[in-house]
Amino acid sequence: MSSKTIAILTSGGDAPGMNAAIRAVVRSSIYYGCKVYGINRGYKGLIEGDLFEMNLSSVGDIIQKGGTILKSSRCEEFKTEEGRAIGVEVLKKYGIDCLVVIGGDGSFNGAQKLSDLGFPAIGIPGTIDNDLAYTDYTIGFDTTMNTIIDAIGKIRDTSSSHERVNIIEVMGRHCGDLALYAGLAGGAESIIVPEMDFTIDDVCDKLEQTKKRGKRHSIIVLAEGVGNAQDLGNKIVERTGADLRVTILGHVQRGGSPSAFDRILASKMGVRAVELLLEGKSARVIGIKDNKIIDMDINEALSMERSFDKEIFEMTKILSI
């Protein structure tokens, strides 16, 4: 392995565990005798030349912190050829040989474009939605799922006290994994996700079914990509007369100290990313399959179609009778 100068950035929505990945990239780079630079505010900071050299102390006491110490932002300019050319010039100016990008599919697209320009880049999946098809889990998903489960438990306490129906809206515009797994673990009566069709009749019938067996409160978990939670609530009230409340969890789902799973996953992925770069690899993304860290061509990974676990979805129906 030859010594290199490696840069790292975080892009797109923040996810718990990003700091653990940053720490792993920085410390493993230094371990292997490399220089490492941090880029603030993602591709926007890259274009603006907002870089700084990092050392061991730069990542001290961050493994347990949510968010990202490198900050994040969206950057429309980097989607243009001119913007990417500026980014490459900045990297060359600082003597940087290769780049690690932590983020979701949009961030990976940026890494792909840089690789196409001949600048080596490796992607680490950091997104709470778990919406990348090539990997079983993304950094941040486990922590966010547990945040939702905690909220479900607290809402159930008050829901049962007042014999209410509660709709809990969670993140997931195009991917229902957060709603599915948190709804399963939280014992929700109904789970509504973008990947599966549903009708108001189905939801209301389930409420009536639970009411007949003596249960006076219910939890409905709704992925934000399906529709407006309040509109759904109004329709349910019209049909059933239920005492109903809506809770939109919003950005509370992004924050918080990462779980042990996310810290370990991020650490493994960060070290592997550096090793790939030192092996002369480029245009790869890191993932986990069957509990093993893998890497894959970035173009292949981005072209894969994500499959929703319908078997688990059907199981939630069995368990919520």
Side-chain angles (χ1 to χ4, degrees), residues 37-95:
Y37 279 81
I39 303 172
N40 286 316
R41 294 175 294 111
Y43 292 115
K44 180 178 175 64
L46 172 58
I47 289 175
E48 295 175 354
D50 191 359
L51 288 72
F52 65 102
E53 188 170 355
M54 302 184 78
N55 54 38
L56 294 176
S57 297
S58 302
V59 292
D61 198 29
I62 69 167
I63 193 171
Q64 79 282 6
K65 292 181 179 179
T68 164
I69 62 166
L70 294 178
K71 314 304 179 189
S72 188
S73 66
R74 311 285 181 182
C75 183
E76 292 300 317
E77 188 179 357
F78 197 77
K79 295 179 181 179
T80 67
E81 290 184 11
E82 295 80 7
R84 292 191 291 272
I86 293 171
V88 170
E89 285 305 310
V90 171
L91 291 166
K92 289 179 178 178
K93 175 184 174 183
Y94 280 83

Side-chain angles (χ1 to χ4, degrees), residues 89-161:
E89 285 305 310
V90 171
L91 291 166
K92 289 179 178 178
K93 175 184 174 183
Y94 280 83
I96 293 166
D97 301 303
C98 41
L99 179 68
V100 175
V101 174
I102 305 172
D105 55 356
S107 306
F108 284 3
N109 277 315
Q112 178 189 32
K113 297 296 185 185
L114 286 174
S115 297
D116 290 343
L117 291 172
F119 194 89
I122 299 289
I124 296 176
T127 168
I128 65 171
D129 290 338
N130 206 43
D131 58 351
L132 294 170
Y134 77 94
T135 182
D136 288 341
Y137 298 107
T138 58
I139 296 167
F141 172 71
D142 183 73
T143 304
T144 301
M145 176 179 60
N146 280 287
T147 297
I148 296 169
I149 292 169
D150 182 62
I152 290 174
K154 290 173 179 175
I155 290 169
R156 177 178 281 108
D157 289 344
T158 183
S159 177
S160 62
S161 297

Side-chain angles (χ1 to χ4, degrees), residues 57 97 244 266 286 315:
S57 297
D97 301 303
L244 183 145
I286 312 296
M315 184 178 72

Side-chain angles (χ1 to χ4, degrees), residues 160-201:
S160 62
S161 297
H162 293 273
E163 299 182 318
R164 284 177 178 148
V165 175
N166 271 268
I167 299 176
I168 302 173
E169 182 182 298
V170 304
M171 287 185 171
R173 286 192 181 90
H174 307 292
C175 176
D177 277 14
L178 281 173
L180 175 64
Y181 289 97
L184 169 61
E189 276 69 37
S190 293
I191 299 170
I192 305 173
V193 294
E195 295 90 344
M196 304 295 293
D197 292 333
F198 86 102
T199 67
I200 295 295
D201 288 338

